[in-house]
Every structure is written in C-alpha cells, then in structure tokens.
Amino acid sequence: MNKIDNIEIRPSSCPHDCPSTCSLEIEKLGKQEIGRVRGSEDNTYTAGVICAKVARYAERTHHPDRLMHPMKRTGSKGSGQFERISWDEALDTVAKEFLEREEKYGSETVWPYYYAGTMGLVHRDGLERLRHAKKYSGFFGTICINLARAGWKAGAGKFVGADPREMAKSDMVVIWGTNAVHTQINVMTHATRARKEHGAKIVVIDPYRNATAMAADTHLMLKPGTDGALATAVMHILFRDGFEDRDYLEKYTKDHDKLEAYLKNKTPEWAAEITGLPVQEIEDFAEAIGQTKKTFLRLGYGFSRSRNGAVNMHAALSIAAVTGSWKYEGGGAFHTNGAIFGWNKDLIEGLDVRDPSIRMLDQSRIGPILMGDKQDLGDGPPVTAMIIQNTNPMDIAPDLAKVHKGFAREDLFVCVHEQFMTETAKMADIVLPATTFVEHDDVYQGGGQSHVSLGLKVIEPLGECKSNHWVVCELAKRLGAKHRGFDMTEVELIEQTLVDSGMPSIEAHQKTNFLDKQIPFQDAHFLNGFGHQDGKYHFSPDWSIAGPDFAGMPDMPGHWDVIQNATEEHPFRLVTAPARNFLNTSFTATPSSLKREKKPTVMIHSEAAARLGIENDDVVRMGNKQGSILIHAEIFDGLQPDVVISEGIWPSKFFIEKVGINILVGSDAAKPNGGAAFHDTAVWITKEG
C-alpha cells in the first residue's frame, strides 16, 4: 500500500438531508483527492460521531460513475443515450429553450425544481434567486417537513425547543417519529450517554422493530398514523393519576380545563383499539412519563409522513405541557431550531425581487402538474421547461406513474444538474455535471441542533464539474436575469449573508468552523412564554396559523382518522421507511451501501405470510389503486400483522419491473399545509406465480 505524505486535515460540514448537520474533518490527499472523513470532536453536538455512509464519502466523490462532462440527449427519453458537449453549448441550449417557451407561454411555464440533495444555503437555495428574478413558477417544498412543523407551531407557536444536547442530562429520552440510528445518529450519541452516565431510559415509538428500537429499553410498536391516539391516552392517564403539573398548566397553557374534560373518555382501552398496543404498555409508558420529570421528547419528521401528521405531532408535543417537563434541564421537547438563526436570505434567494403574484406549485404534486392538472396549474400555462438541482423526482416523488408519464412528454424540456446519472437525469435533454460538497464553498445551519457551520472547498472540482451557484449565474447571464447575487462568488455570498444576518465573518467562523447559536435555557424551554401572542401553549390549536387548508381539522389533540386504514380490499398498511445506508436516493450508487442493503424487500409478518402462502424471499406483487410492483418478501415479526415495511428509496432500476416503491404513494396534499403521506398507504399483497 502506497504511503501518502503530508495529509492535510480540512474542516467541513455534512451537506446531506439530515437534521444532524455534522461537523467534519476530511483528509485532503491531493489537489483533487480526499481520504477518510471523521466527525469533529470539537463540535459538542457531533461529538466525533458521524454515520458510516458519510465516513465513506471518498467512495462517492471518486466513484467511476460520477458525471464529469455536460451532455445532450441523442436517443429517446429514458434511453440513457447522450453525447458529450461543451459547457457553452449546454448552457446556450438551456437558455434558448427557456426563452422560447417563455415567449410563447409566459414566464410561469418554466419551473425550477430542487430540494435537499445539499442543505447548503448557497447551493440548495440559490436557484430561488433565478426563479424570482425571472418570475418563473414558484416552488412550494412539501416532501419532508411540513406536517410535523404545522403540529409543533400549532402548539408551541415557534420553532425552537430544548437544546438537544440536554438529552444527555435527561432521565428518560423518548425518540418518537424518527429512526435515529438510520437517519440522525447523533440523537443516539446523546441519548445513550444519558443511559451510560446516570441510568436514563430510552423509549422508542415506531411501527417496527428497527435499529433504533433494538437499542431502546422500551419499544412501543404502534400502527402507523396512530400516534395521536397514544399521546391522547397518555395524557388521560396523566390527569387520571395526578401526574399533571397544575401550577405549570395555569401559568403557561391555554384551554387546559377544556383538555382535561375532553380526555375523560380517551382511555388506554380506547387507544389500544386504534394503535394495536396492549393496554398495559400504554399504562406503563404514561406512568413512566408521570414519574420522570426530566423526560425529553425527541420528536422527528416521521410525523410528516401521515395524513394526520400535524395532529399527531401536536398531541405528542402536548404531553410535555401537561407534565411541565419544560421546567427541567433534560426535560421538555425538541423538533427543530429553525427560528434561532435569524438568516437574511435576500441575497441568496433573491427575495428582494420576488413577485408574490407568481403562482406556487407544490413539489409533491409534480406528477399531476406535469400531466396538466388544473387543480395545480390554475389558469396559468403548462409547465414546459424545468431545471432540476439536488433532487431525483423520478424516484423519490409520490405518484410515480404520473411522474414518469409527465417526464416522458415530448414537449417538456428538462435540464438536470447532477452528480450521477439518476433516473431523472436519464429523462433530461441536457445533463450537467455537479460538484460534491468537498468541491465548492457553502454554509449550513443545523436542522436538529444549533450550529451554523462552514463547508469551504476541500479539493478542486473533478472533471468539468461545476457548482450549482456557477450554473445559476451563467444561466442568469444568458437569460437576462438581473440581481447582484449573480455577480458574486460563493465566498462573497456567504460573507455578505453572514454580515446581513448579524453573524461573525467567515474568518471568525474559521477558528472553529462553526458557531453555536443556541438560545438561553429560559427561551429554549419557553419559560419566558411560548411563541403565540398570549405566551401560552395551545392545547386547542388555531390551525390557520399553520397552513391555509385547515377546514375540518380537530380542535383538540387526538386520533384524526383521515389515514388510509387497512380494509378487506387493502389489508396492509405500508411504511416506506429510510434505509440505514441510503439517504433518499443519495448513496444508492456507492458499492458499500448497495452491498449492505442488498435489494428492495417488503417486510411482512409471519402470520400474514403464512395466510398468503408466502415464504422468505418469495416474489410478491404489492399494489393498490395507484399501481403495483414486484418485490421480494422478507419474513419479519418486528411489526404488527397488518403492517408492512419497505426500507429505502431504491432507484427504479433495482426493481424487477423497473418502477419504484413510490408508485404506490399518493400525491394528495395533507392538511393544513401540504405534503405527501409517504408512510400512509394501504396495499394488497399476493404471491407471484
């Protein structure tokens, strides 16, 4: 093995769609080569721990299948037939197509589409600047977070919460709505520290026995979408057995008397019928919360995956207000810290030139939108041109049958800026090679913690790869778009945005590579008042503050039965859960991740499998009114008999019939603020052959 001298360790930040936003230390082996990636021990949230897939990042950056040159399509859409062209030809072609369509249909015919393939502010959100400057159709991001945030906002009124590092000081950590081992390993770092240092208990609430559940002291394996029923029964028991904090309720909450009266018939027996949990498990969980003042509720984005997710989040969050656990260090709850950062994004996103009259198109509704659904398009023109960055809708969007048909339209011009030849890139007319995070400059904020972190370039771009910012600025020149952000480098954008947001300069950040923005304990725990105008926690939520489509939503915590329940026709409820070695479709190209995940499967309980004559590894057909797929069965008893689990958003090419799992997921927008319900799907299953 060749020895590499003078290895340089460069600080950076993980760019991927994960709340942890880990601080990193990266080996720079040469001008265009990285080595090992480690977690920074200096960052008190990362604490030296990162997930295995990012630790193997060199495998992704230096993958032989990385896109390295601009290309134009020469075969039919989806054929994968492309030829290499110059950057000038590629960008000139994109600009020409956009301008021609804009002249024919108006500016709203162009729909820039992006998401969280990178979470860097410059390279995720910079496409918004082009959109606003050109008055292209707006982008309403709904795939990941909306419903969970709606529930939190309805109760707490503001997106802050207890410092997640306080989990290490808790006496009981409840991990609810997130498979932390798979999706945000640092939650486990702090939760297991609490257990190791002072015997804290870890409770996991999840529909199946996943890696996080296996690491817990207690696992409540409820049916998908029934979290609100569990939370409501827990509060019933807390009031019934005298575990409520009356003084706290009087001082800090609104409608607690109404809540107590409402809860009278929300018994554990009632909840057991809905959740499938034994009555005693519900009783024991509630008693543990009541007896443990320093209970920390770590509430995740899994709440966003059910049609009743906003109501479920609000119900779970309400537990902390009943017990008054917010008063204690190591108690309370946390979901996101979005309100602590105070960003001024005018420069990055071009908010100063945004036209509020331009229509907004729902990200999750891309299938119906591309198929011309007037519910989405209104009186505006069809979408006839797109530029896509940081996302792979041909695999990750819901309602895939419509998505695939929409991208196959011959009148739709698509430019995809990507790192790999994804299913979406195969449908493009022009494909542009994109840098990875080690090849450009950016700045990040923690979604599940409190740091602003730099991610400055570690190595020079490989091949002819260009950053998102460079592409946006070059297109702006050709399209006649004007904004001062188009004339700035990535570093200049970061520097000015930090200044405009009242933060220290890049130079000041570089001393540690991150800045802790955690707010004081009294504010994080709402002891100076909650985020509503009256300063109270709201048990009876005003859903209108969380989204426009609030009609019919309940006025108290509970089980809102708008989910796709199992029926005789569709006897199973499907959850498309995250895989440990993928992140959506990121890392699905890396050999080590593929080796560990093996192939797409559906986990099915042995009782259900026996009834259907299914054995382990049999090929089964799984479907509903949306469509059907062929997939291998995995017999697994770590779920309820009418629940099935398929881990990972595998690209369609890995499925037997070359269509992915999300063909089964609907694109209907959930109340009150939109979002597809990826874990809320009723299906039938039959043995194939």
Side-chain angles (χ1 to χ4, degrees):
M1 184 175 180
N2 293 330
K3 180 180 179 182
I4 301 176
D5 296 322
N6 301 319
I7 295 176
E8 183 181 355
I9 305 299
R10 296 287 295 274
S12 191
S13 304
C14 181
H16 284 284
D17 187 10
C18 162
S20 290
T21 320
C22 292
S23 290
L24 306 177
E25 296 175 351
I26 301 175
E27 292 181 348
K28 181 178 180 180
L29 306 184
K31 183 179 179 182
Q32 291 183 300
E33 185 179 3
I34 65 168
R36 296 178 64 184
V37 180
R38 303 177 183 87
S40 169
E41 295 186 2
D42 293 333
N43 184 302
T44 53
Y45 186 75
T46 302
V49 178
I50 60 172
C51 66
K53 51 187 173 283
V54 171
R56 303 190 297 266
Y57 211 86
E59 181 183 24
R60 191 168 194 272
T61 296
H62 301 296
H63 195 292
D65 292 340
R66 275 280 303 276
L67 296 174
M68 291 292 176
H69 311 285
M71 295 182 289
K72 68 177 180 181
R73 180 169 55 84
T74 57
S76 60
K77 289 194 173 188
S79 67
Q81 296 175 334
F82 292 88
E83 69 177 18
R84 180 177 173 179
I85 58 175
S86 69
W87 267 105
D88 280 337
E89 181 181 350
L91 295 170
D92 289 347
T93 300
V94 175
K96 175 177 177 293
E97 295 288 345
F98 279 21
L99 290 169
E100 287 180 355
R101 284 162 169 75
E102 183 180 346
E103 183 177 1
K104 182 176 181 180
Y105 295 106
S107 64
E108 289 180 333
T109 196
V110 181
W111 191 25
Y113 192 95
Y114 74 101
Y115 208 50
T118 178
M119 295 293 283
L121 272 60
V122 172
H123 293 97
R124 181 190 63 193
D125 302 332
L127 193 58
E128 291 286 81
R129 189 168 63 257
L130 181 64
R131 180 198 317 281
H132 295 146
K134 288 292 295 178
K135 301 184 187 301
Y136 292 151
S137 279
F139 179 84
F140 180 38
T142 58
I143 275 186
C144 186
I145 64 176
N146 288 35
L147 300 180
R149 290 196 173 190
W152 183 280
K153 186 173 184 179
K158 189 176 183 180
F159 295 127
V160 302
D163 186 336
R165 290 165 292 195
E166 286 183 35
M167 283 185 283
K169 300 177 181 179
S170 176
D171 292 327
M172 185 165 72
V173 179
V174 180
I175 301 173
W176 198 342
T178 179
N179 182 358
V181 170
H182 284 199
T183 63
Q184 42 182 324
I185 191 64
N186 309 86
V187 168
M188 301 306 296
T189 299
H190 298 284
T192 55
R193 180 182 167 192
R195 179 162 60 188
K196 181 179 179 180
E197 292 184 357
H198 53 270
K201 300 298 183 184
I202 299 174
V203 178
V204 167
I205 302 173
D206 200 281
Y208 76 115
R209 192 173 67 240
N210 53 39
T212 308
M214 287 188 280
D217 298 289
T218 301
H219 174 209
L220 279 73
M221 195 170 68
L222 76 180
K223 293 181 181 181
T226 65
D227 311 74
L230 172 61
T232 305
V234 166
M235 289 187 284
H236 166 96
I237 296 167
L238 293 173
F239 277 105
R240 183 197 71 190
D241 294 351
F243 289 122
E244 80 282 8
D245 186 328
R246 291 284 176 185
D247 291 340
Y248 183 89
L249 288 167
E250 287 290 339
K251 183 175 182 180
Y252 289 104
T253 74
K254 177 184 178 183
D255 292 326
H256 57 87
D257 291 335
K258 181 180 176 182
L259 174 71
E260 185 174 4
Y262 164 81
L263 291 171
K264 290 292 186 182
N265 65 347
K266 299 299 184 286
T267 65
E269 290 78 12
W270 165 82
E273 286 292 320
I274 297 169
T275 63
L277 293 170
V279 170
Q280 194 59 50
E281 284 192 11
I282 299 172
E283 291 275 5
D284 291 346
F285 177 50
E287 182 180 1
I289 288 178
Q291 293 180 344
T292 310
K293 293 299 185 183
K294 293 168 61 175
T295 293
F296 192 108
L297 302 176
R298 181 58 176 89
L299 306 175
Y301 287 111
F303 287 96
S304 285
R305 314 294 189 250
S306 293
R307 288 171 177 81
N308 58 1
V311 174
N312 291 341
M313 168 63 91
H314 174 254
L317 176 61
S318 294
I319 293 171
V322 171
T323 64
S325 63
W326 286 107
K327 297 189 300 185
Y328 307 100
E329 186 177 29
F334 181 81
H335 174 59
T336 181
N337 253 339
I340 71 173
F341 296 104
W343 289 108
N344 181 330
K345 296 185 179 180
D346 286 356
L347 191 56
I348 288 177
E349 297 186 19
L351 298 176
D352 50 342
V353 295
R354 179 179 178 268
D355 183 346
S357 70
I358 297 297
R359 71 179 178 188
M360 297 293 290
L361 298 179
D362 185 337
Q363 170 193 24
S364 296
R365 299 275 299 166
I366 182 173
I369 287 168
L370 294 184
M371 294 302 293
D373 195 323
K374 287 297 182 181
Q375 173 186 332
D376 303 284
L377 297 175
D379 296 328
V383 171
T384 64
M386 299 179 73
I387 178 170
I388 299 173
Q389 293 181 326
N390 311 327
T391 189
N392 180 20
M394 280 284 290
D395 284 322
I396 65 97
D399 211 350
L400 273 189
K402 289 181 181 177
V403 175
H404 287 196
K405 288 179 183 178
F407 272 104
R409 282 172 38 204
E410 289 300 329
D411 67 326
L412 176 67
F413 176 83
V414 177
C415 170
V416 173
H417 187 201
E418 250 295 355
Q419 297 163 357
F420 291 89
M421 184 57 74
T422 63
E423 300 294 321
T424 307
K426 287 180 182 177
M427 301 300 289
D429 299 280
I430 297 292
V431 175
L432 307 176
T435 50
T436 64
F437 81 101
V438 294
E439 301 162 72
H440 58 236
D441 299 303
D442 216 328
V443 63
Y444 305 85
Q445 73 172 49
Q449 45 110 338
S450 56
H451 291 90
V452 170
S453 308
L454 290 177
L456 301 183
K457 183 168 65 175
V458 176
I459 60 173
E460 294 301 316
L462 305 183
E464 293 185 73
C465 294
K466 299 291 186 181
S467 72
N468 291 1
H469 174 69
W470 186 90
V471 167
V472 166
C473 293
E474 287 296 314
L475 281 176
K477 294 176 186 176
R478 291 164 169 82
L479 293 166
K482 303 296 182 183
H483 191 277
R484 63 191 181 110
F486 296 134
D487 300 318
M488 302 174 74
T489 66
E490 296 161 7
V491 170
E492 289 170 341
L493 266 180
I494 295 167
E495 184 73 70
Q496 191 60 52
T497 297
L498 290 172
V499 171
D500 292 345
S501 304
M503 298 187 200
S505 66
I506 289 178
E507 182 180 0
H509 274 80
Q510 282 181 300
K511 293 177 181 177
T512 59
N513 209 55
F514 50 81
L515 172 69
D516 193 346
K517 294 282 287 181
Q518 181 60 43
I519 58 179
F521 176 88
Q522 296 286 115
D523 297 323
H525 284 248
F526 298 106
L527 298 181
N528 291 324
F530 283 86
H532 299 292
Q533 189 171 5
D534 61 6
K536 306 286 189 178
Y537 182 86
H538 286 191
F539 289 119
S540 182
D542 175 6
W543 290 110
S544 68
I545 68 170
D549 185 20
F550 57 87
M553 295 186 71
D555 64 354
M556 276 284 145
H559 176 63
W560 189 32
D561 194 10
V562 294
I563 58 177
Q564 284 193 6
N565 288 298
T567 63
E568 184 176 351
E569 183 182 2
H570 299 96
F572 299 100
R573 300 207 61 228
L574 168 67
V575 171
T576 55
R580 186 168 191 167
N581 294 285
F582 299 156
L583 203 168
N584 301 318
T585 57
S586 295
F587 300 97
T588 57
T590 53
S592 60
S593 291
L594 289 170
K595 182 179 179 180
R596 287 167 171 81
E597 297 298 334
K598 298 178 182 177
K599 64 186 176 187
T601 63
V602 59
M603 301 178 191
I604 183 169
H605 195 281
S606 60
E607 290 180 16
R611 186 173 68 248
L612 297 171
I614 295 169
E615 297 183 359
N616 201 57
D617 208 40
D618 278 352
V619 175
V620 300
R621 184 167 290 279
M622 180 166 60
N624 55 22
K625 295 176 181 179
Q626 297 278 131
S628 68
I629 61 169
L630 290 178
I631 190 168
H632 289 268
E634 179 183 347
I635 309 302
F636 178 67
D637 284 350
L639 37 67
Q640 295 198 28
D642 61 350
V643 175
V644 292
I645 306 287
S646 185
E647 287 189 339
I649 304 300
W650 287 83
S652 294
K653 66 182 180 181
F654 290 103
F655 284 84
I656 296 168
E657 295 177 313
K658 311 305 179 189
V659 61
I661 194 78
N662 282 344
I663 193 175
L664 305 176
V665 177
S667 61
D668 51 301
K671 292 175 179 284
N673 56 340
F678 286 93
H679 297 177
D680 189 358
T681 302
V683 296
W684 48 258
I685 295 177
T686 59
K687 183 176 179 179
E688 186 73 1

